[in-house]
Amino acid sequence: MSRSLNAQTHAWLKVFAVSARHLSFTRAAEELHVTTGAVSQQIKQLEERLGFKLFRRRPRQLELTDEGRRLAVVVDDAYQSVGLEVRRLRSGVMSGILRLRSVPSFLAKWLMPRLPRLQARFPDIELQVVAEDSNISLRDGDYDLALDLNDGHYPGLAITPLMDEVIFPVCAPSLLRGKPSLSAPEDLAWYPLLHDVTAWRGSHDYAEWEHYLHSIDAPHVNVRRGYTFNRNQLTMEAAIAGMGVAIARQTLITGELKSGALIAPFPQRVATGKRYGIVHAQGALDDRRVLAVHDWLVEEARRSAPAQS
């Protein structure tokens, strides 16, 4: 007689697992919505297939044999593991390490406040987050997803656009006290300028100010002066401290304008032609874990879009 575990055997094992848990064919029958006789018959057939007894049938109760007790533990663990994994799959829970790279200012100002929502959505995904300037080239293989600011051209890599960047000058209200009016670009001559020297890949130290003033057809203003910083966040902190006028990125001004810590002296806002995007290797989204975080980032960017309009 064949002792193989065919499909019928697996069906009987389910009946056995329930019977072993209750130590009663009657209660097992109630749970399985079959008759007590059907349960008893299937257990008998399973015992014949396996070649050993699973239960000792006492007058008022069942008792597992040594073999039955050992098999019950294994079968119960197996069904619990299957049930847990099914629940995890149905709920979208995934696990494992995901390597995420981001330009530092975007990471600090846009992504970090949102990471608790990612943690709540996918608690078993462990992020390994690395902050890298956009002027450091993206290499395929040292990350799963990268958040970058560029013109959208990444040879050999794929990109999902998130949001375009817009810039405009900002300063602390205290900077203007007792000083000449700051109502037109030419008034900038009276104020120190603050510069982010890592504005985007390939930019020079004064690129943001030159791009902004050129875009609004401002008269000649000497912008190659003032203080330079290698992080947008540091530039904004210097502006808040009243050190000078800085160029703000609309995406990264999360509350400073609402709180009054910074003001925008000029009404014009200018697109840089650069955009934040999710960069990844071709085929990376075939991994459902990577796809889940990718789609979450896209969803968050859409949610934040009204605040940037």
Side-chain angles (χ1 to χ4, degrees):
M1 181 187 302
S2 173
R3 309 291 187 187
S4 63
L5 300 184
N6 56 21
Q8 183 62 69
T9 306
H10 285 290
W12 292 334
L13 283 171
K14 174 63 176 177
V15 176
F16 165 69
V18 177
S19 300
R21 177 156 36 86
H22 291 298
L23 288 177
S24 168
F25 290 162
T26 300
R27 293 179 61 188
E30 291 173 355
E31 180 175 326
L32 296 169
H33 305 290
V34 296
T35 66
T36 303
V39 171
S40 178
Q41 181 64 27
Q42 291 184 57
I43 294 299
K44 182 179 178 181
Q45 290 171 316
L46 176 61
E47 290 174 329
E48 291 175 354
R49 176 60 61 89
L50 297 178
F52 52 80
K53 291 291 185 181
L54 298 170
F55 293 99
R56 295 186 185 94
R57 288 141 174 94
R58 303 303 187 187
R60 294 187 178 181
Q61 67 177 25
L62 293 175
E63 182 181 298
L64 285 165
T65 64
D66 290 342
E67 294 85 353
R69 188 176 298 107
R70 290 170 58 184
L71 183 62
V73 171
V74 174
V75 173
D76 187 61
D77 286 346
Y79 278 113
Q80 286 193 33
S81 297
V82 170
L84 176 61
E85 188 61 24
V86 168
R87 288 192 295 273
R88 290 166 64 89
L89 292 171
R90 284 177 174 171
S91 64
V93 172
M94 286 159 282
S95 62
I97 293 172
L98 189 144
R99 300 165 301 161
L100 178 66
R101 167 179 161 166
S102 176
V103 288
S105 297
F106 190 75
L107 171 62
K109 296 294 291 180
W110 188 88
L111 182 58
M112 286 301 296
R114 292 169 168 81
L115 281 184
R117 289 202 287 269
L118 176 64
Q119 184 183 45
R121 177 82 67 86
F122 305 111
D124 293 333
I125 291 180
E126 300 177 27
L127 286 185
Q128 291 183 345
V129 182
V130 175
E132 291 283 9
D133 289 331
S134 61
N135 58 4
I136 298 176
S137 65
L138 289 163
R139 298 179 300 277
D140 178 13
D142 61 0
Y143 57 87
D144 295 303
L145 296 173
L147 297 169
D148 199 55
L149 175 66
N150 200 6
D151 58 7
H153 183 59
Y154 296 88
L157 298 171
I159 179 171
T160 302
L162 288 181
M163 59 196 83
D164 295 334
E165 191 55 279
V166 173
I167 59 175
F168 53 94
V170 294
C171 65
S174 60
L175 182 69
L176 306 181
R177 295 179 190 140
K179 290 194 176 74
S181 170
L182 183 56
S183 57
E186 53 265 31
D187 299 331
L188 289 167
W190 300 99
Y191 292 89
L193 301 183
L194 308 177
H195 307 271
D196 174 11
V197 301
T198 57
W200 52 76
R201 183 172 292 114
S203 64
H204 59 79
D205 290 1
Y206 311 104
E208 286 186 317
W209 271 110
E210 288 187 353
H211 178 81
Y212 178 81
L213 293 172
H214 176 76
S215 298
I216 65 172
D217 295 322
H220 177 71
V221 177
N222 177 22
V223 298
R224 293 179 174 255
R225 57 186 176 83
Y227 303 91
T228 62
F229 303 86
N230 72 336
R231 294 286 188 276
N232 174 270
Q233 189 174 4
L234 297 177
T235 312
M236 292 301 101
E237 290 297 328
I240 292 171
M243 290 184 61
V245 187
I247 290 291
R249 299 181 194 173
Q250 183 167 267
T251 302
L252 306 184
I253 289 290
T254 56
E256 293 85 350
L257 295 178
K258 288 183 179 179
S259 69
L262 293 173
I263 60 173
F266 309 142
Q268 301 97 325
R269 300 192 176 195
V270 170
T272 63
K274 313 298 179 183
R275 63 178 51 174
Y276 292 98
I278 311 172
V279 184
H280 53 85
Q282 301 287 349
L285 301 188
D286 293 341
D287 184 328
R288 60 189 295 271
R289 175 180 46 89
V290 177
L291 177 63
V293 176
H294 170 278
D295 290 351
W296 178 86
L297 289 166
V298 172
E299 176 186 328
E300 287 293 321
R302 289 172 179 166
R303 288 177 57 180
S304 67
Q308 301 172 23
S309 60

